Amino acid sequence: MRDYLKRQEKLFTEKQQKRLEELTGMIAGTGGLGTNQALQLQRVGVKKIYLYDYDQVEITNLNRQLCYGKKDIGRPKVEAAEEFLKQFDLETEIITRNEKISLDTKVPQDIDIIFDGMDNFESRFILDQLALENEIPFIHAGIEEFFAQIMLVLPQSRLRLKDVFAGSAKKKTPAVFSPAVTVTASIQVLEALKYLLGFDNYLKNQLLHIDLLSSQMEKIDLK
Amino acid sequence: MALIVKFFSLFKINLKSSGIEYELKEQITISELIKKLDQDFDGYFTQKLLESDGSIAPGSIILVNGHNVIHLEALETEIDNQDTVTLFPPSAGG
């Protein structure tokens, strides 16, 4: 076990901790959700993170995308995120892919899960399709204003993202701010780890709805 | 057992209600459910869930027992006591 993980030792069995340090995740989109996921995954000590994004840092990203500052405006997001994460000198390997995710994307074959870091449903449906074709677990999250939802989709899941969220596309740009994005990404990482480390009570055929205005979380059964 | 209708996100906040239950005498369709909800919530759901041509508006989700009605019979999907209908505008950002 790595020295800097000592304070989380009691949370996991020896087997779970070993598994945690062997995990590899793909972060699809290094925006608000993705940068938060990357920070959390690095801190819990996973083996490797793949960062995917094709965009450059813009001024409007800085209210929630925690790996970037004003000096990064115009830089490829994955490059700036990699530099930011590597300064902490922790063991998690950071691999970057400066490319747009499409149905032709060659998904790395060593990943244990795909994290949804997208900001629209059209891209998410493509990601879900890639996860299905490559038989890799996929964890969706979406955040808007004070509300979010999280859904774990497994290779054997009967319901895919489209089955639940078809018709979700909207024309207006969603309003998002840092506290709500960070909470959502943190729960997304937590739920992914619960599944990957073999906890019993992970999100099985359920959608987790988060209402930060009412301070409530509720599971919606997807029968 | 009744038909359970649950509201989430802005629907819940705007209506100050997390849902409603209806004891049905017979099956109804989602269209008919929206009319019932409109009576109880001052026309709110037609405005939120439907386009002016009567089709389902983009950006709002109607689930029957977890299944999006777009993949069922859309507004003609039949529902009965014991079913759960979930209504919410999903969060799209990231």
Side-chain angles (χ1 to χ4, degrees):
Chain A
M1 187 191 194
R2 298 169 196 159
D3 291 346
Y4 68 90
L5 301 178
K6 187 82 181 153
R7 293 291 294 274
Q8 68 190 45
E9 190 177 18
K10 288 180 186 167
L11 287 170
F12 308 113
T13 63
E14 206 172 308
K15 195 176 159 192
Q16 285 173 325
Q17 183 60 45
K18 188 169 179 295
R19 170 89 174 120
L20 182 57
E21 291 179 56
E22 290 167 355
L23 289 176
T24 294
M26 170 178 169
I27 294 178
T30 54
L33 291 170
T35 51
N36 276 280
Q37 293 157 12
L39 282 160
Q40 292 296 335
L41 290 168
Q42 187 189 36
R43 293 291 161 172
V44 300
V46 301
K47 181 184 174 190
K48 196 192 294 184
I49 307 168
Y50 287 90
L51 300 177
Y52 276 75
D53 211 301
Y54 70 103
D55 235 339
Q56 285 84 43
V57 179
E58 294 175 31
I59 188 80
T60 54
N61 302 150
L62 303 189
N63 77 326
R64 68 196 184 283
Q65 303 190 12
L66 301 188
C67 294
Y68 317 126
K70 281 187 176 169
K71 68 175 173 48
D72 298 312
I73 290 168
R75 295 178 71 193
K77 283 187 174 179
V78 291
E79 181 189 300
E82 180 187 30
E83 187 180 292
F84 182 80
L85 295 166
K86 282 189 171 172
Q87 70 175 321
F88 299 116
D89 193 24
L90 299 171
E91 272 80 349
T92 300
E93 191 181 348
I94 313 291
I95 312 277
T96 59
R97 296 277 189 269
N98 190 3
E99 63 180 71
K100 184 170 185 170
I101 289 175
S102 72
L103 289 173
D104 297 325
T105 297
K106 298 274 182 285
V107 175
Q109 291 306 297
D110 61 344
I111 58 173
D112 296 289
I113 194 160
I114 298 174
F115 287 89
D116 175 358
M118 301 295 197
D119 61 2
N120 66 85
F121 275 99
E122 205 170 83
S123 304
R124 288 182 171 111
F125 293 150
I126 291 171
L127 198 57
D128 186 43
Q129 184 63 27
L130 283 176
L132 177 64
E133 285 171 8
N134 289 275
E135 298 183 2
I136 296 167
F138 165 63
I139 187 153
H140 155 70
I143 167 75
E144 189 165 346
E145 300 184 16
F146 295 92
F147 310 104
Q149 73 274 329
I150 292 173
M151 179 180 168
L152 176 67
V153 188
L154 301 178
Q156 67 272 23
S157 292
R158 205 166 37 82
L159 290 179
R160 304 300 304 186
L161 207 59
K162 214 177 250 187
D163 295 318
V164 179
F165 292 104
S168 293
K170 283 180 250 189
K171 283 177 193 145
K172 61 172 188 168
T173 305
V176 277
F177 85 135
S178 191
V181 173
T182 296
V183 166
T184 304
S186 294
I187 296 173
Q188 194 182 7
V189 169
L190 196 61
E191 290 297 333
L193 293 178
K194 277 162 59 182
Y195 165 69
L196 294 166
L197 299 180
F199 284 82
D200 289 335
N201 47 356
Y202 63 89
L203 280 180
K204 194 184 285 181
N205 300 320
Q206 287 170 320
L207 180 71
L208 181 65
H209 186 270
I210 303 167
D211 178 345
L212 295 166
L213 214 48
S214 311
S215 311
Q216 285 179 332
M217 287 204 283
E218 193 169 333
K219 287 189 266 191
I220 299 169
D221 285 328
L222 304 172
K223 291 175 191 169
Chain B
M1 288 292 284
L3 170 73
I4 298 167
V5 187
K6 290 184 171 182
F7 313 144
F8 288 93
S9 299
L10 277 180
F11 294 174
K12 178 180 163 182
I13 300 291
N14 290 345
L15 298 170
K16 295 182 174 59
S17 166
S18 57
I20 191 166
E21 294 190 10
Y22 293 114
E23 295 273 357
L24 301 177
K25 292 192 180 74
E26 56 185 4
Q27 285 193 341
I28 60 170
T29 64
I30 291 292
S31 277
E32 289 163 339
L33 172 65
I34 292 172
K35 284 177 193 151
K36 279 174 92 66
L37 289 167
D38 277 347
Q39 285 169 11
D40 288 319
F41 296 98
D42 199 21
Y44 181 86
F45 283 97
T46 286
Q47 188 194 331
K48 292 291 177 186
L49 297 175
L50 302 180
E51 294 275 63
S52 52
D53 66 0
S55 61
I56 298 172
S60 290
I61 293 293
I62 306 170
L63 302 179
V64 173
N65 303 325
H67 294 258
N68 191 321
V69 296
I70 286 181
H71 299 300
L72 302 172
E73 303 296 322
L75 294 170
E76 295 311 305
T77 304
E78 293 196 325
I79 45 180
D80 206 342
N81 294 324
Q82 299 190 41
D83 286 329
T84 301
V85 177
T86 305
L87 305 173
F88 70 107
S91 301

